[in-house]
Every structure is written in structure tokens, then in C-alpha cells.
Amino acid sequence: MAQQRFVSIGECMIEMSGGEDRLYRLGYAGDTLNTAWYMRALLGKDWSVDYFTGLGEDKYSGDIRAFLDANDIGTSHIRTVPGRRPGLYMIHQQDGDRQFTYWRDTSAAKLLADDKDALNAAVKGASMVYFSGITLAILAPRARGRLLGAIVKARDAGARIVFDTNIRPALWTSPRVMTSVLTAVATLCDVVLPTHGDEAPLFGDANADETADRYLELGVEEVVVKDGAGDAVIATAHERVKVGPKPGAKVVDATGAGDSFNGAYLSARLAGQSLQAAAEAAHAVAGIVIGQKGALVDPALLGSERR
């Protein structure tokens, strides 16, 4: 059987975490990269996992490529943007919670969709294409249109299209633009993975079931509504299940929890598991991730969750 291909599209950033005694640890992260990481850890070898973004020609862009290559995440389609660099963010503790400060004005990833041919080549032959609301938010409107055009072409060629709305209001020009784009884009997708707590203030959903219903009414085939430590609602036109995490998980660092949930859920579904079993696997992986520092945990820690 020919190898199938998962393509994740978005922004990989330099992460500076820690800060104790003014010492920081350099790493790499980003919502779509995090999900690609867990897809690679959990999918069998009959799948390849590629990451599509924009990077520069500087040392840190080269380091990111090397990091992805070393972890068997494909980089052959990454767009090189001269004069640009990866975005950067720092994490610090404030008022008992993690706070983020970003530098991404000259991020190469903001130009990832400026070359139509490169974009089409990146998704050609994909079995599944994954992207997020952040992917859309960092792009100029015309570039956003090019990205969606390539995604539609991939869908028409047989790819399943998966979208995490991942709402970040600060990245959008206005709430009206954000909600209209997210709603329109969802109509193009087979699977949507929203987070109820992010959606409710914008769309007025009273609970996770209403979030699921809203996307089903748009024609989405499969909706997976995350709700933090609450029950996830997984719904299709013919089936609905509610699955909560097992109690007792220790939260060390919640970074990447939702992204790891996505990767575990999607990999389980691609392996033929039911909605219920896939959601249980997703909660189990997210429970491991929140018990470790950083968004990307060692795949060996996933143990029996690996296929």
C-alpha cells in the first residue's frame, strides 16, 4: 500500500520559556506544528507527516528545518523567504498564570501563501490537510484566498480537510472579519475541532452541544468540540458522544494540550477507531502532555498510546 500523507500548514515560532534567574530555554512551537508532532508520534509508518510554513535564510530558520528533519517531519515544501525570520515569543508567569509576549511582525510564515505554485505543490497528493485559525489570521486577505484555493483543490483531489478554529482575536483586524472568515472556511472542511470556551463569547453558544450543532448546520461532517477539563462533544449527523478526561491528571504546563488532543484524535480516527475510542485516546495523550513542560513531549512518554 502506498504511503499516505498528512500535511500541516501554519507558523512555527521560536519559543523562549523558563525565565527563572533571567535564564530561558530555546525551543520551537506553534499550534499546527504541535499537532504535526503528535501525528508523527502516533501515526504508523504507512503515513508521512509534512509541515508547510515560511522560513528565512538565517541560522534559526536553519535550526528549525534541522529540528523537523531530525524528527521525521517533512520540510521539502517549506517556503524560503529572503529577508524574513521566524517569529518569536517569550513565556513568563504573572498572577499565577502563563503570559505570552510575541514578536512576529517580520515572520516569514506570514508570507507562506505568497507563492501559489509552491502552495499547490505542498498539498498535492495529500490524504489529509490540517490548518488553523491562526494560520488564516497571520495572512493578508489575498494570501488567505490563495491558501484556501489550494486547500479546495486538495479536497477536490480526495484529501480530507481538517480545521482547528483556534481563535486568537488579537491577530484579526476585527471580530466581524474573524467570525465571518471562520464560518466561511468551516464550510470547506470535513472535520472541525473548535474549543467551546473560545467560541462562546463570539458566537453565543450556551454549551459545547450548541457549538457542535452550529458547525454541523454548516455542513461539516465531523465536529470535535474541546472544553478544557470538561467533556468533549464529538458529533456527526448520525452520532454524538461526550467524553471527559480521566480524573487526577496533574497540570504542570497546559501548553499544547489542545494541539496534542487533535493529533491523538485524528491519528486514532485514521487508524479506524470509533468517535468514542478516538476521544478517549485524545484525552489520554493530552493528560500526558499537561504533565510535562513544553508543548512537545518526548514521543516515548506516550507509551501505549503510540500505534
Side-chain angles (χ1 to χ4, degrees):
M1 182 177 176
Q3 192 175 52
Q4 299 188 82
R5 185 166 169 257
F6 174 85
V7 180
S8 186
I9 304 172
E11 181 180 28
C12 174
M13 303 184 73
I14 298 168
E15 177 190 79
M16 302 299 292
S17 61
E20 298 83 5
D21 297 323
R22 303 178 73 86
L23 297 175
Y24 286 82
R25 177 181 178 273
L26 187 151
Y28 310 112
D31 64 333
T32 52
L33 172 63
N34 302 343
T35 296
W37 177 269
Y38 292 102
M39 292 295 281
R40 179 64 287 161
L42 297 167
L43 280 174
K45 291 300 181 181
D46 54 336
W47 280 83
S48 66
V49 174
D50 285 355
Y51 193 61
F52 180 68
T53 188
L55 291 172
E57 299 172 307
D58 59 292
K59 166 184 166 48
Y60 297 104
S61 291
D63 289 349
I64 289 171
R65 289 176 187 267
F67 171 76
L68 297 176
D69 286 334
N71 288 282
D72 199 23
I73 296 173
T75 61
S76 61
H77 291 287
I78 288 177
R79 181 164 187 249
T80 299
V81 185
R84 292 287 185 118
R85 294 183 173 86
L88 177 147
Y89 68 93
M90 298 181 76
I91 307 172
H92 66 278
Q93 292 286 336
Q94 182 176 314
D95 301 325
D97 199 4
R98 288 160 56 89
Q99 305 293 321
F100 297 83
T101 303
Y102 292 89
W103 291 264
R104 65 183 352 149
D105 288 349
T106 58
S107 166
K110 294 174 76 172
L111 304 180
L112 67 83
D114 280 18
D115 185 328
K116 184 177 180 180
D117 291 339
L119 189 57
N120 287 329
V123 299
K124 185 177 181 180
S127 306
M128 179 173 280
V129 177
Y130 177 86
F131 65 112
S132 76
I134 293 177
T135 310
L136 298 173
I138 65 172
L139 301 178
R142 286 183 180 272
R144 196 179 298 148
R146 282 191 291 272
L147 172 63
L148 295 175
I151 285 171
V152 168
K153 186 176 290 188
R155 181 199 65 188
D156 291 347
R160 285 179 62 77
I161 308 302
V162 184
F163 179 48
D164 182 342
T165 55
N166 212 351
I167 293 172
R168 297 292 185 272
L171 295 177
W172 292 89
T173 54
S174 73
R176 180 180 59 81
V177 170
M178 175 174 59
T179 55
S180 62
V181 170
L182 296 179
T183 299
V185 170
T187 67
L188 308 176
C189 301
D190 299 290
V191 183
V192 174
L193 303 111
T195 297
H196 170 65
D198 294 341
E199 304 265 330
L202 293 164
F203 294 101
D205 306 330
N207 50 52
D209 279 302
E210 287 194 5
T211 301
D213 289 339
R214 180 165 48 81
Y215 284 106
L216 290 175
E217 288 168 3
L218 294 173
V220 179
E221 179 181 311
E222 188 170 329
V223 184
V224 184
V225 185
K226 296 161 287 183
D227 198 13
D231 290 353
V233 174
I234 303 91
T236 69
H238 308 291
E239 184 180 2
R240 181 173 303 226
V241 299
K242 295 183 179 182
V243 182
K246 291 183 178 179
K250 180 182 178 182
V251 181
V252 173
D253 182 355
T255 306
D259 305 325
S260 66
F261 183 104
N262 293 352
Y265 178 85
L266 293 170
S267 61
R269 291 289 285 153
L270 289 171
Q273 294 192 28
S274 67
L275 302 183
Q276 176 85 26
E280 290 172 354
H283 275 307
V285 167
I288 294 169
V289 171
I290 63 175
Q292 307 291 322
K293 287 188 175 182
L296 308 181
V297 308
D298 184 342
L301 295 174
L302 304 181
S304 61
E305 303 304 326
R306 301 180 72 185
R307 272 165 275 286

